[in-house]
């Protein structure tokens, strides 16, 4: 049996199983969680110019201290509750020995130079569940004339107050010159909200990769999956991150000039996750609409996103590469 773990806390538990039962363990993990990430989790500063290099040199010790102070205690609590020995006390002890498959590319999630040979980029991995559904703009809107902007909004499970969606719908319903598709995510059913309008459609879930093919701007939380769907199609992203990993992705969008970040994170926010989350929920839909207007009229950002999409699409056979690596490390473990 082999386990693949997607994030910090899940992987901590599964690593415990590895220690007790010698189960092969491989992380499928975004690069910003790794010690080798060229940048700071949540904050970014991932470029290689002198300004970012100096920032990282000064800030990384502070960041590591805050990470271990505010996050390691949660990891340690998992081990203690499960009564598992060899509890990791430092961040470096979490992922420093196990192989890691990164479902992205170095151009988006760069690593510092490292001697490790068990870190592997495979390109974005897309879940095929919702993609089985068909999508064309004509399924949702009555007017799909050329030049009419199409805005795709997908905020996943981050919106848990019905009033937030009602305010969003109230604001965007007045923007009749746009076509707008809102994907609600898991917290609400479609019946909780008003009927579709000719220019405004609401769905619980949509085929995100197919929808991004037609959209002009994607608004999301900075979640890796939807950002990769958008960029795969060469479309700019407006991110409203609610969590620090989303903040890292959103910062990278800005660094590459392929999107916007409406909730940038700082070291203080990093140690006050609840406050950072509330900051995201307090961003007005009027501000978001203004940012959409800005991105729609930014031809350079559009060209940047299109160029980046070409880079992403050059990574072929992604699923097969991931499967081959898992097989490789599983076989090695059982020799």
């Amino acid at each position: 049996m082999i386990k693949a773990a997607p994030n910090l806390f899940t992987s901590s538990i599964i690593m415990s199983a590895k220690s007790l039962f010698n189960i092969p363990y491989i992380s499928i993990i975004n690069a910003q969680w790794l010690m080798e990430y060229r940048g700071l989790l949540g904050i970014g500063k991932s470029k290689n110019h002198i300004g970012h290099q100096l920032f990282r040199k000064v800030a990384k010790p502070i960041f590591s201290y805050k990470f271990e102070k505010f996050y390691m205690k949660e990891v340690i609590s998992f081990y203690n509750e499960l009564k598992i020995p060899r509890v990791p006390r430092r961040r470096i002890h979490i992922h420093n020995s196990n192989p890691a498959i990164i479902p992205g590319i170095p151009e988006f999630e760069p690593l510092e130079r490292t001697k490790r040979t068990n870190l592997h980029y495979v390109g974005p991995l897309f879940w095929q569940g919702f993609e089985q559904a068909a999508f064309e703009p004509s399924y949702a809107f009555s007017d799909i004339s050329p030049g009419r902007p199409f805005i795709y909004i997908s905020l996943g499970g981050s919106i848990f107050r019905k009033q937030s969606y009602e305010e969003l719908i109230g604001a965007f319903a007045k923007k009749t010159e746009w076509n707008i598709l809102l994907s609600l995510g898991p917290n609400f059913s479609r019946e909780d909200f008003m009927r579709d309008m000719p220019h405004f459609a609401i769905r619980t879930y949509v085929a995100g990769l197919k929808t991004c093919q037609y959209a002009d701007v994607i608004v999301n939380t900075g979640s890796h999956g939807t950002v990769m769907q958008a960029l795969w199609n060469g479309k700019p992203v407006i991110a409203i991150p609610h969590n620090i990993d989303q903040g890292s992705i959103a910062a990278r969008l800005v660094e590459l000039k392929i999107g916007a970040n409406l909730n940038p994170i700082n070291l203080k926010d990093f140690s006050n996750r609840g406050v950072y989350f509330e900051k995201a929920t307090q961003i007005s839909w009027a501000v978001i609409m203004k940012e959409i207007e800005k991105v729609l009229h930014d031809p350079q950002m559009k060209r940047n996103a299109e160029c980046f999409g070409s880079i992403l699409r050059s990574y072929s056979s992604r699923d097969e590469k991931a499967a081959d690596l898992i097989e490789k490390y599983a076989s090695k473990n059982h020799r």
Side-chain angles (χ1 to χ4, degrees):
M1 180 171 63
I2 187 164
K3 293 287 185 181
N7 59 48
L8 178 67
F9 302 123
T10 304
S11 63
S12 296
I13 295 174
I14 296 177
M15 282 184 73
S16 305
K18 172 190 174 185
S19 298
L20 286 179
F21 307 114
N22 197 32
I23 297 174
Y25 171 80
I26 300 170
S27 293
I28 300 178
I29 188 169
N30 295 337
Q32 65 262 24
W33 287 108
L34 298 171
M35 288 288 293
E36 293 83 1
Y37 180 59
R38 195 178 75 202
L40 298 180
L41 175 61
I43 298 172
K45 306 295 184 183
S46 307
K47 287 192 172 183
N48 231 1
H49 61 63
I50 189 66
H52 280 195
Q53 289 184 41
L54 289 173
F55 182 91
R56 293 195 298 266
K57 186 172 183 178
V58 172
K60 273 201 170 185
I62 303 171
F63 171 83
S64 296
Y65 167 77
K66 284 185 172 290
F67 185 98
E68 293 182 359
K69 180 178 180 181
F70 294 100
Y71 284 82
M72 282 305 300
K73 61 183 179 183
E74 298 184 36
V75 174
I76 290 169
S77 71
F78 286 130
Y79 281 78
N80 290 337
E81 288 176 20
L82 295 171
K83 297 181 172 55
I84 294 173
R86 297 187 296 279
V87 177
R89 299 292 174 182
R90 303 292 303 276
R91 183 185 175 208
I92 195 172
H93 297 150
I94 300 176
H95 291 295
N96 66 324
S97 60
N98 56 284
I101 294 173
I102 302 170
I105 63 175
E107 292 87 344
F108 193 77
E109 302 172 72
L111 299 178
E112 299 281 12
R113 292 182 180 178
T114 177
K115 294 181 179 180
R116 288 180 61 180
T117 59
N118 59 355
L119 302 179
H120 305 278
Y121 291 98
V122 295
L125 300 175
F126 299 117
W127 184 57
Q128 295 299 312
F130 301 138
E131 293 303 322
Q132 303 304 314
F135 179 81
E136 292 182 8
S138 60
Y139 297 167
F141 310 115
S142 59
D143 182 357
I144 56 170
S145 55
R148 184 176 176 82
F150 173 17
I151 314 302
Y152 172 40
I153 305 174
S154 176
L155 302 174
S158 294
I159 300 295
F160 60 90
R161 297 169 182 154
K162 186 170 182 283
Q163 182 182 354
S164 295
Y165 269 142
E166 290 172 339
E167 291 172 355
L168 180 156
I169 293 166
F172 281 84
K174 299 174 183 177
K175 201 70 173 174
T176 55
E177 66 269 33
W178 296 348
N179 284 337
I180 302 154
L181 176 62
L182 169 63
S183 175
L184 294 170
N187 296 340
F188 302 96
S189 65
R190 175 64 187 85
E191 291 71 26
D192 291 337
F193 302 96
M194 70 174 197
R195 293 181 179 179
D196 285 355
M197 301 173 69
H199 75 291
F200 195 118
I202 305 173
R203 302 287 184 270
T204 304
Y205 300 105
V206 301
L209 196 59
K210 294 174 182 175
T211 302
C212 290
Q213 178 183 348
Y214 297 99
D216 295 291
V217 176
I218 289 82
V219 180
N220 92 319
T221 59
S223 62
H224 191 268
T226 302
V227 167
M228 287 295 108
Q229 289 176 341
L231 296 178
W232 183 267
N233 287 286
K235 304 302 172 65
V237 179
I238 296 173
I240 314 163
H242 289 60
N243 300 309
I244 60 168
D245 58 327
Q246 296 170 347
S248 186
I249 293 169
R252 191 64 178 148
L253 291 171
V254 175
E255 290 174 5
L256 295 172
K257 299 180 180 179
I258 53 179
N261 177 9
L262 294 186
N263 192 21
I265 195 171
N266 56 47
L267 285 175
K268 184 177 179 181
D269 290 325
F270 182 86
S271 57
N272 292 279
R273 288 174 292 157
V275 172
Y276 181 66
F277 183 93
E278 287 300 320
K279 280 174 58 180
T281 65
Q282 291 168 16
I283 297 171
S284 74
W285 299 114
V287 168
I288 296 165
M289 290 176 69
K290 184 177 180 180
E291 191 65 32
I292 293 172
E293 289 273 15
K294 181 179 176 181
V295 172
L296 283 172
H297 293 91
D298 188 340
Q300 185 60 56
M301 182 177 288
K302 179 180 178 181
R303 287 192 291 270
N304 292 344
E306 289 172 348
C307 290
F308 197 83
S310 297
I311 295 171
L312 268 184
R313 292 190 299 274
S314 70
Y315 284 76
S316 60
S317 305
R318 303 173 313 282
D319 297 348
E320 291 86 348
K321 289 177 182 176
D324 288 345
L325 285 165
I326 291 172
E327 183 178 15
K328 167 188 171 182
Y329 285 108
S331 301
K332 183 178 180 180
N333 187 275
H334 286 292
R335 284 175 184 169

